[in-house]
Amino acid sequence: MKITSFLILIPALLTGCASLMPLEDGLTPFKGEPINHLFSVIGFPDDIELIDNEITYRYQITKNHTDLVTKTERATGLEGQDPLIAKTMMQPTQVNVECELTVITDTHKTIKRWRYKEAYKGCTPYREKLANFESR
């Protein structure tokens, strides 16, 4: 019974993740706005630094996580009457989840631009917060 429920739940979880907007789309409405507007949506940064008349706000997420990852393994045998060469299955796997979001403002704290690096859906918490803000 647990396995059946789990198999039914997997597609629902995957489609839920697929519907999130790209981080770029969520941040675009904040360009030219005061940084405080972004703070009210995604929270306060981990680090703030003044560099060459620009203020850099750095957000960072780093954690290890177990997630279902599609893996393909070589297999031998038959599937019906056809030879089976490989099988694909979802397996729990340890992954490193990382996101580094940097938002840059002028000295008046108006958002000018941003950049981000992401490993294995690491910026998803920010995407979710931005999506919730957009749906209001």
Side-chain angles (χ1 to χ4, degrees):
M1 181 66 179
K2 287 182 183 180
I3 292 174
T4 305
S5 299
F6 186 67
L7 292 175
I8 292 170
L9 190 61
I10 289 172
L13 291 173
L14 293 175
T15 55
C17 294
S19 64
L20 284 177
M21 72 174 80
L23 190 56
E24 193 75 22
D25 292 350
L27 291 170
T28 298
F30 291 94
K31 187 172 185 175
E33 295 291 322
I35 189 71
N36 288 343
H37 292 167
L38 185 61
F39 290 165
S40 68
V41 177
I42 67 171
F44 293 101
D46 299 304
D47 185 44
I48 301 172
E49 191 174 8
L50 178 63
I51 304 172
D52 298 330
N53 292 325
E54 293 182 326
I55 304 172
T56 302
Y57 301 85
R58 196 167 290 112
Y59 294 82
Q60 190 155 359
I61 297 172
T62 304
K63 64 181 178 178
N64 289 322
H65 176 67
T66 301
D67 203 355
L68 292 174
V69 177
T70 303
K71 292 202 174 192
T72 303
E73 296 178 357
R74 292 194 56 78
T76 57
L78 295 174
E79 185 174 346
Q81 294 184 10
D82 299 323
L84 183 64
I85 299 169
K87 63 180 178 179
T88 303
M89 54 196 318
M90 300 287 281
Q91 293 183 346
T93 304
Q94 187 75 20
V95 293
N96 293 324
V97 177
E98 297 176 13
C99 176
E100 184 177 312
L101 169 62
T102 304
V103 179
I104 299 161
T105 69
D106 58 21
T107 53
H108 301 290
K109 300 181 182 176
T110 301
I111 297 174
K112 293 170 58 176
R113 65 187 181 280
W114 53 84
R115 64 180 175 270
Y116 63 96
K117 294 187 297 186
E118 176 176 36
Y120 199 76
K121 302 184 260 180
C123 294
T124 298
Y126 300 130
R127 280 188 188 86
E128 290 171 344
K129 290 176 181 180
L130 290 165
N132 288 337
F133 176 75
E134 288 289 319
S135 65
R136 289 190 218 169

